[in-house]
Amino acid sequence: VQLQASGGGLVQAGDSLRLSCAASGVTFSDYCMGWFRQVPGKEREFVAGISWRGGRTSYADSVKGRFTIARDDAKTTVYLQMNSLKREDTAVYYCAATSEAPISTLLVPTTTPWYEYWGQGTLVTVSS
């Protein structure tokens, strides 16, 4: 299983970026996909997630209204559209996949232990 994240870069506050994560080696449509981020010295935190078939999404409060997660099962790719970026969005962003998304998590787990597979991360730097 491989998850290849891309799209990070250096932008100014208020700009937009779209991250992509291409999956291979899995039946993509069977997996819940998530985006997490991490800054040095802090734990990896949930950003957004989307259930299999895209029926349900979940967002961290800090990104609600600014970020949008979407998936294209035909392209086995999940996207994270990030608008109105802030300095505090600076982090390494990771995509993750899980086939375990029980009803107790509302089909979108928000904690790292639920996720089986992880991409290598892509750095997003937001300058003021």
Side-chain angles (χ1 to χ4, degrees):
V1 176
Q2 285 194 329
L3 300 176
Q4 184 70 40
S6 62
L10 173 64
V11 296
Q12 291 189 330
D15 285 351
S16 298
L17 268 181
R18 189 178 78 157
L19 305 183
S20 300
C21 176
S24 60
V26 295
T27 304
F28 185 76
S29 58
D30 289 346
Y31 281 74
C32 170
M33 302 298 296
W35 285 98
F36 290 74
R37 66 187 181 188
Q38 190 170 23
V39 297
K42 291 191 175 183
E43 291 188 354
R44 195 167 295 187
E45 66 173 3
F46 174 78
V47 175
I50 187 166
S51 65
W52 52 72
R53 303 179 186 176
R56 181 177 290 274
T57 58
S58 180
Y59 297 92
D61 287 343
S62 59
V63 307
K64 278 181 182 175
R66 300 188 298 121
F67 291 11
T68 303
I69 189 170
R71 64 188 297 156
D72 185 334
D73 287 350
K75 295 183 178 179
T76 66
T77 300
V78 62
Y79 304 97
L80 184 67
Q81 178 66 43
M82 305 185 295
N83 299 330
S84 302
L85 282 161
K86 304 176 181 180
R87 283 192 64 184
E88 51 265 43
D89 294 320
T90 295
V92 177
Y93 284 72
Y94 298 89
C95 61
T98 181
S99 60
E100 300 291 333
I103 294 295
S104 61
T105 66
L106 300 181
L107 304 181
V108 183
T110 60
T111 55
T112 56
W114 280 107
Y115 286 84
E116 303 165 77
Y117 305 108
W118 293 85
Q120 85 288 2
T122 185
L123 176 62
V124 173
T125 304
V126 184
S127 64
S128 58

